[in-house]
């Protein structure tokens, strides 16, 4: 496959500025970086965004994430590798990414589980990061952006 157009963020540099501000806000609320990386990876897997899955897994690995956890993100519910807080964040990421899958897109039980582990500013950061990830996923999938083929 080939990208339909150059990455839209490269074509419209002001978009990059806006996304950078969202990134900074989401990463400044005290949520562990590893949790945000897992949320990004899971939403990107659901949306089939190859550049985001590729870059997200590589970034997490570079920051010390284990192979076991990276390989298991897609099946996080069936593995012992994630903390209760990470599980709550992953469940929130799945619900917020799959909005059309149920009448109550993000049920209270999912929200309440996340609220047990994260403060309101941390929840806000997770929600913004899920939304930002979904934004990237939709732009990349629509324009058929590709994961780099020359990773060293």
């Amino acid at each position: 496959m080939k990208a339909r157009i150059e990455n839209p963020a490269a074509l419209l540099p002001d978009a990059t500025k806006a996304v950078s501000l969202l990134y900074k806000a989401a990463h400044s609320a005290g949520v562990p970086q590893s949790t945000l990386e897992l949320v990004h990876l899971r939403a990107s897997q659901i949306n089939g965004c190859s550049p985001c899955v590729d870059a997200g897994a590589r970034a997490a690995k570079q920051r010390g994430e284990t192979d076991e956890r990276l390989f298991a993100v897609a099946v996080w519910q069936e593995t012992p590798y994630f903390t209760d807080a990470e599980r709550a964040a992953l469940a929130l990421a799945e619900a917020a990414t799959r909005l059309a899958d149920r009448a109550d897109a993000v049920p209270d039980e999912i929200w309440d589980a996340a609220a047990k582990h994260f403060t309101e500013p941390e929840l806000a950061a997770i929600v913004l990061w899920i939304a930002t990830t979904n934004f990237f996923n939709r732009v990349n999938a629509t324009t058929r952006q590709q994961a780099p083929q020359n990773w060293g």
Side-chain angles (χ1 to χ4, degrees):
M1 279 195 343
K2 181 180 154 200
R4 290 178 166 144
I5 63 171
E6 187 177 347
N7 190 301
L11 295 171
L12 302 171
D14 285 344
T16 302
K17 293 175 192 172
V19 171
S20 293
L21 289 172
L22 283 170
Y23 180 94
K24 182 179 177 183
H27 286 78
S28 67
V31 178
Q33 178 71 26
S34 60
T35 300
L36 293 175
E37 288 171 346
L38 293 171
V39 162
H40 172 78
L41 184 56
R42 184 65 190 125
S44 298
Q45 289 172 335
I46 291 166
N47 289 323
C49 181
S50 66
C52 290
V53 169
D54 185 84
R58 289 176 189 278
K61 178 79 173 162
Q62 287 177 342
R63 289 186 183 96
E65 193 57 77
T66 66
D67 288 340
E68 290 81 12
R69 285 166 46 96
L70 288 174
F71 297 154
V73 170
V75 292
W76 64 269
Q77 294 179 19
E78 291 86 29
T79 65
Y81 305 127
F82 304 98
T83 67
D84 289 344
E86 290 168 337
R87 289 176 183 282
L90 286 164
L92 183 57
E94 286 189 358
T97 297
R98 294 178 164 151
L99 294 175
D101 283 4
R102 56 182 136 213
D104 184 7
V106 181
D108 288 341
E109 67 222 27
I110 290 175
W111 182 264
D112 293 346
K116 286 180 186 176
H117 299 282
F118 301 101
T119 65
E120 283 194 9
E122 290 170 335
L123 284 168
I126 293 168
V127 169
L128 283 175
W129 190 235
I130 294 165
T132 303
T133 298
N134 277 278
F135 166 78
F136 280 122
N137 295 164
R138 281 154 175 72
V139 168
N140 288 336
T142 300
T143 61
R144 291 189 180 157
Q145 298 301 306
Q146 301 297 299
Q149 295 186 19
N150 58 350
W151 287 103

